[in-house]
Amino acid sequence: EPGTMSGSGSEEPQPSQAAEDGQQEAEQDWAAAKAFYDNQVTQRVRPPKPQNAITVAVSSRALFNLVEEQRIYEEQGLEKYVEYQQNNENVILKPGPAFYFVKALERVNARLLELYPDDEERFDIVLMTNNHAQVGVRLINSINHYGLTIERFCMTGGESPIGYLTAYLTNLYLSADSDKVQEAIEAGIASATMFTANKDVVYSDTQLRVAFDGDAVIFSDESEQIFKEQGLDRFFEHEQLNENKPLAQGPLKGFLEDLGKLQKKFYAKNERLDCPIRTYLVTARSAASSGARVLKTLRSWGLEIDEALFLAGAPKGPVLVKIRPHIFFDDQMFHIEGAQKLGAIAAHVPYGIAQKHQKST
């Protein structure tokens, strides 16, 4: 059915010969491109193949602050916008909401490369923008100014990015455009809309910190549906009855898994206490009445989350101020706005029943 993140295995059609040929062709293309690239003498680290990488696609408005430019685009149209960008291509863009998250991913990469120089399992950041190519110079100048390692650019000139996101085997897509994020979620790609924090906060530069809400983010929205339709008491009752039945997966379960895989690489080198990745579950559930099912679900998936904070309906903002995550994923705008006010970087995941309620209010 539409909207589910993954169907059951038995009904999936077998890959056609054409698909297999296409896969082989793609492999040959990568091999040829890699061979050419390998012959170039360079000190730069080569980008990994998408099959091996954890690909994070970021839009230009998530990576940089383009509020003024967006206003010109909306008020004066495309031509004036492109002209403005070209006239200002040597003016460095200020950081946007995903900037510090991207910086933190790159620091994890640097540590991984020290420990595993020949391994390609690391983050690969792709700039996925519907900007026109003429705007590219300003983006490249800004990326180089900050020393970011972003080698792959997709400038789609107004076209939908979904096909490119799929081609790059994207593990996470961050954009300031909620319509594109919705489209990506519906295509089964983990995705979130980025919001700028309302005040400047200092973020850790030694540890990537990622915080997730539970229902409709890591888990499906099945329990949230009961809460919204039948109230809190029925929700508690349902969760206790189903305590030993794992929750279904939500849109960001895969990204939490990716982070867990990288954490294990550090643990394997005795770096558990000094691990540059830390994950947090920040949920409005209460521990006593509905926490066990969440923890048992994570255990059944073989996932370790570093910290689990059960807030029993208290606001999430104050806890997030203490954690200072580089990104916090939640499905409810109410929590996103609360986080923003206190300077937390929040990302909205438009998935599940909460969206219907948000649209009707």
Side-chain angles (χ1 to χ4, degrees), residues 274-293:
D274 194 26
C275 182
I277 301 172
R278 195 162 182 85
T279 56
Y280 304 80
L281 173 71
V282 180
T283 170
R285 283 173 176 251
S286 69
S289 43
S290 61
R293 190 176 184 197

Side-chain angles (χ1 to χ4, degrees), residues 100-115:
Y100 296 102
F101 174 62
V102 167
K103 280 291 255 196
L105 297 181
E106 296 202 341
R107 279 190 294 269
V108 173
N109 276 356
R111 292 274 301 272
L112 281 167
L113 280 162
E114 282 169 22
L115 297 173

Side-chain angles (χ1 to χ4, degrees), residues 25-202:
E25 229 170 88
E27 279 289 335
Q28 285 163 356
D29 284 351
W30 274 106
K34 188 176 184 308
F36 174 79
Y37 210 72
D38 286 348
N39 285 332
Q40 312 302 308
V41 177
T42 174
Q43 295 305 303
R44 293 181 82 114
V45 175
R46 312 261 154 80
K49 279 170 73 172
Q51 291 90 313
N52 305 331
I54 295 163
T55 301
V56 177
V58 184
S59 79
S60 52
R61 284 201 292 144
L63 186 60
F64 296 118
N65 180 336
L66 287 160
V67 173
E68 176 60 22
E69 288 75 1
Q70 184 67 10
R71 193 182 58 74
I72 292 168
Y73 172 70
E74 285 167 8
E75 290 174 7
Q76 299 176 39
L78 179 62
E79 297 309 316
K80 283 273 183 269
Y81 166 82
V82 171
E83 186 185 319
Y84 177 87
Q85 291 283 39
Q86 286 179 320
N87 290 341
N88 287 278
E89 62 188 29
N90 294 317
V91 178
I92 300 304
L93 291 161
K94 295 270 188 300
F99 181 88
Y100 296 102
F101 174 62
V102 167
K103 280 291 255 196
L105 297 181
E106 296 202 341
R107 279 190 294 269
V108 173
N109 276 356
R111 292 274 301 272
L112 281 167
L113 280 162
E114 282 169 22
L115 297 173
Y116 299 94
D118 302 321
D119 193 332
E120 289 200 321
E121 194 175 26
R122 59 178 186 272
F123 298 109
D124 186 24
I125 295 124
V126 175
L127 188 73
M128 185 68 63
T129 170
N130 68 335
N131 260 304
H132 289 64
Q134 302 91 305
V135 180
V137 175
R138 188 175 190 197
L139 293 172
I140 289 166
N141 285 344
S142 298
I143 282 165
N144 288 338
H145 169 82
Y146 293 112
L148 299 175
T149 309
I150 302 178
E151 304 285 1
R152 304 197 215 273
F153 269 45
C154 279
M155 309 196 69
T156 67
E159 293 300 308
S160 163
I162 300 300
Y164 297 103
L165 292 170
T166 308
Y168 276 113
L169 309 178
T170 301
N171 299 73
L172 177 67
Y173 171 52
L174 300 173
S175 170
D177 183 330
S178 57
D179 291 341
K180 291 204 175 58
V181 167
Q182 183 71 58
E183 202 185 333
I185 285 272
E186 282 162 14
I189 295 162
S191 186
T193 312
M194 296 295 300
F195 290 90
T196 308
N198 293 353
K199 54 168 89 163
D200 286 339
V201 170
V202 178

